[in-house]
Every structure is written in C-alpha cells, then in structure tokens.
Amino acid sequence: MAKDDVEVAEQVEYSAKDYHDPPPAALFDPEELTKWSLYRAVIAEFIATLLFLYITVLTIIGYNRQTDPNIPDSQCEGVGVLGIAWAFGGMIFILVYCTAGISGGHINPAVTFGLFLGRKVSLVRALLYMIAQCLGAICGAGLAKGFQKGYYVRYGGGVNLVQGGYTKGTALGAEIIGTFVLVYTVFSATDPKRSARDSHVPVLAPLPIGFAVFMVHLATIPVTGTGINPARSFGPAVIFNQDKAWDDQWIYWVGPFVGAAVAAFYHQYILRAAAIKALGSFRSNA
C-alpha cells in the first residue's frame, strides 16, 4: 500500500471514530476560581477522604484489638488482611460512586496527580483537591482517635510502616507498582474510547477502581501496610504523631507519585498514542 493511501486510511479512521475525547484541561484557568462547581468538588473530596480514613482506620484498630494476645477475651481472629483489604476497596467503590459526578471521585493525591499529568484536571483544581484530601484524611483519623482514643494510641493509629524483614527499596517498589495498578485502572475505567467500544459490556467505573484497591492491599499489606495514597498515610501520621510514623513517610509520597506518573505516561502516550496523534494532526494541518 502506498504511503499516501496509509495516510488517507489513518485520517478516515480518526474522523470516523465512535467516541469523543474531551479537550485537555487548561493548566491555569482564572475563570475556574469563580465557579461554585470547583469549590463544591473540593468539599466533596474533603468529606469523601474524611469518611474513607474514619472507616478504614477503625477497621485496622478493631482488627488489632480483636487479635491482641494480651487481652483474655480476644479469642476471635478478627477480619484479617482480607477484611482490611475489603474495607479499603469497598470504601473506595462507595465513595467514588457517590462523588464521581461532583469531583471525579479522586480521594487520593496520587490519582489527582496522575490525572493532572494526563491533562484531565487543571493545576488549580489538582492543588485544591490535594489540600482537601490531606485535610480530610487528618480529620478522618482525628475522628477515629476521638471515638476510640485508648485503642487508637495502643494499636498504632492505623499508620503505615515498612514491615519487618523488608528494605526501604522493596517498600518503595511496592508503593510504585501498587499505585501504578490503581491509577492505570482509573484511566482505563474512565476512558471514553473503552466506554464506546465496550458499550455491550456495561461496567460501573467505581467497581474496577475499588477492586484495584482491594487487590493491591492484599499484595502489599504485608510489605508496607499499603499506602498507594499519600493522604491515607499522612492523616494518621499527623494524628498519631510519633517518630515511627514519620520515619518512612517519604516512601508513601514518592512511591505513589512516581507510580501515578508512570501510569499516566503509559496510558496516554503508549496505549492512547497521544504523541503520535498530535504529530498526525500537525502534519495534516501543515
């Protein structure tokens, strides 16, 4: 086939596509700051992250209380790692479902960062989301401590720690890969191309995202306690506020942000070939 025929075929394919990609978000849009929808979304992120931390931290504390060998009546095995993973994955499913139409249901600075790199949200929105998420996480962990102060302090406050027998490098790698799985799932579940091509197989976007969180927790709870969400790690560390909560805190920020960046690059520039499409558009306009 001649080169001209290939170019014509590509142009026909792009013009006949059965989905619509939204335009890239502006890096900074002053008008966005005047819209109530932005602040409503920020409030939704704050409340969602607060609820997320409250439920999950209490689940962790309850498990530690049920399995404490120093308490005579603690004979049950508790929810176990499986139950904790379900708590995290289930809450993400619920909260993404509730807030997706308002804020996009990020509930995680790493997800927000990845979507920012993918030009899905503006810089202003991304920064406000991250601040709201961190504040929500602090308040959620604070509520958990307020309701169960004695147990909160005794059983570690739900803080993330690198588990014994694992190096910091291993922990960092676990956080990078775990966050990659999550953010890649977010991009895939919200991809307009997938929605159009797989419309005969309806999938509720929060479901695969929640399952991604669940599966990553199963794999990495024994390694890092599972962060993959800087706000989730930051909130309990602030409320618990002991040295061991801060010793490895950098891992729970660097790992998720690196994993999110790699996932955004992989989805946008490898799977969706954004750079090639941009070059093709430039050549067709030349």
Side-chain angles (χ1 to χ4, degrees), residues 155-225:
Y155 297 117
V159 300
N160 283 129
L161 301 171
V162 177
Q163 304 301 302
Y166 294 97
T167 66
K168 295 183 187 298
T170 300
L172 181 62
E175 288 295 306
I176 291 173
I177 296 173
T179 311
F180 175 89
V181 172
L182 170 59
V183 177
Y184 173 42
T185 303
V186 171
F187 272 101
S188 299
T190 58
D191 189 340
K193 180 177 180 179
R194 186 208 63 80
S195 299
R197 301 292 168 81
D198 298 341
S199 59
H200 61 289
V201 185
V203 176
L204 189 64
L207 185 59
I209 295 172
F211 261 102
V213 172
F214 168 68
M215 297 304 295
V216 171
H217 273 76
L218 285 182
T220 59
I221 283 177
V223 183
T224 63

Side-chain angles (χ1 to χ4, degrees), residues 82-102:
L82 183 63
I84 293 173
W86 270 120
F88 278 88
M91 281 303 294
I92 288 296
F93 169 74
I94 293 168
L95 294 171
V96 171
Y97 178 82
C98 292
T99 60
I102 301 172

